[in-house]
Amino acid sequence: MQDYAHPESIVSTEWVAENKNNEEVVVVEVDVDTGGYDEGHVPGAIGWNWSEQLCDQVVRDILPKEEMEKLLASSGISNDTTVVLYGDNNNWFAAWAFWQMKIYGHDKVRIMNGGRGKWLEEGREISTEIPAPGAAEYSAAEADNSLRSFLPAVQEALGGGVDMVDVRSPEEYSGEILAPPGLPETCQRGGHIPGARSIPWGLACNEDGTFKSREELADLYSSRGISGERPVIAYCRIGERSSHTWFVLKYLLGLDGVTNYDGSWTEYGNLVGVDVERGDG
């Protein structure tokens, strides 16, 4: 993994197995549904529920600074702690947590390559014991919103000069479906943001859920018109899959000016009087 632009941002399952008892390391499983965590997880790993613990429960937004401080402190995480994130769906929600932790300035945060699926596939030790970490002290930085794109920036980008990447499935991109089966957050109109390129998030992964090599990733995105010469805005349906692509572009390929539009299609596809595009583009 040393060929990536920021190899320190990713660790292997082997590394986690060797360091899961390291007092300076906290391993966190981040899932949309913590039922899998309850059935068995990396020994010593904390469990975070994406919808309940990593989203503002009143305003549609990321966690406020104070809530992030409480979450990290209650998980036994201090500013100097190395945090390793992994989860289901090939690390969708681990990437979402990584993105938020970077917004609030945490330096030592990593993603376990391959996520929960690879750990289980390798037959590694799992535990049903729920850790009870001692409270730590945590002081977050002010939110770095340069890692996000909000609707006005997205609308301004329609004028050119920015590459828009839609990481949803081809069926969502074309407007054939509004959301993946079984997922509730949806929109009034199907389709995609005008001019956005369709590069589904899963193309960045191998069959075992690990990230493809830097060379393979560079070939993938350059073949779809993403050269890194212009800023890039990634979006999906609610911002979690696009945080995965944001991580790939920024930390594995080292592109500058990459942001995650977490309003994504559930915001854009609900706008009144705004054109969308349909079809394969």
Side-chain angles (χ1 to χ4, degrees):
M1 289 185 282
Q2 295 303 310
D3 62 332
Y4 294 129
H6 296 280
E8 75 285 354
S9 66
I10 188 169
V11 295
S12 66
T13 51
E14 290 83 1
W15 189 96
V16 174
E18 293 170 359
N19 287 274
K20 64 182 187 298
N21 296 319
N22 186 332
E23 293 183 356
E24 297 180 355
V25 175
V26 171
V27 181
V28 183
E29 178 170 329
V30 190
D31 300 325
V32 66
D33 176 1
T34 53
Y37 172 86
D38 294 336
E39 293 174 2
H41 48 265
V42 174
I46 304 294
W48 287 349
N49 182 298
W50 165 80
S51 60
E52 295 178 2
Q53 294 174 279
L54 287 167
C55 299
D56 190 301
Q57 296 301 297
V58 178
V59 178
R60 186 187 170 189
D61 206 345
I62 63 172
L63 280 183
K65 175 184 173 181
E66 296 78 11
E67 292 300 315
M68 176 61 80
E69 290 174 332
K70 290 178 183 178
L71 174 64
L72 297 180
S74 66
S75 299
I77 296 169
S78 67
N79 291 75
D80 293 328
T81 301
T82 295
V83 179
V84 177
L85 303 165
Y86 77 96
D88 56 8
N89 291 303
N90 288 3
N91 282 326
W92 282 4
F93 301 100
W96 171 269
F98 183 102
W99 173 68
Q100 281 201 60
M101 291 185 70
K102 286 299 184 183
I103 285 175
Y104 287 115
H106 196 84
D107 180 44
K108 299 176 182 178
V109 56
R110 323 281 188 246
I111 286 181
M112 184 178 80
N113 202 13
R116 176 181 173 84
K118 184 168 177 58
W119 184 272
L120 295 177
E121 180 183 307
E122 293 174 342
R124 295 187 180 276
E125 179 186 3
I126 61 172
S127 172
T128 57
E129 182 178 349
I130 308 299
E137 292 186 4
Y138 197 92
S139 177
E142 294 300 321
D144 179 5
N145 285 323
S146 70
L147 305 182
R148 306 177 72 180
S149 277
F150 297 93
L151 179 60
V154 172
Q155 293 175 311
E156 183 178 350
L158 297 179
V162 176
D163 290 323
M164 196 84 63
V165 177
D166 186 316
V167 316
R168 299 173 299 161
S169 68
E171 293 78 14
E172 291 171 273
Y173 177 83
S174 68
E176 179 181 343
I177 62 174
L178 298 182
L183 296 179
E185 303 91 347
T186 187
C187 54
Q188 292 295 311
R189 297 290 180 270
H192 56 269
I193 297 174
R197 303 173 189 272
S198 176
I199 313 178
W201 71 274
L203 295 178
C205 296
N206 297 305
E207 289 186 5
D208 65 357
T210 57
F211 295 105
K212 291 181 177 178
S213 70
R214 184 175 183 177
E215 181 179 2
E216 290 173 312
L217 293 172
D219 288 344
L220 166 65
Y221 288 100
S222 63
S223 71
R224 306 289 180 102
I226 307 301
S227 65
E229 296 177 356
R230 307 196 305 176
V232 179
I233 297 175
Y235 77 92
C236 59
R237 184 177 56 99
I238 54 175
E240 85 296 0
R241 286 175 287 177
S242 49
S243 64
H244 187 281
T245 295
W246 170 86
F247 174 81
V248 169
L249 293 174
K250 183 173 179 64
Y251 284 89
L252 303 189
L253 287 179
L255 272 58
D256 294 325
V258 183
T259 56
N260 182 24
Y261 170 36
D262 51 303
S264 281
W265 192 249
T266 51
E267 178 174 60
Y268 202 93
N270 279 319
L271 295 175
V272 175
V274 171
D275 290 336
V276 303
E277 285 185 346
R278 290 180 175 162
D280 297 334

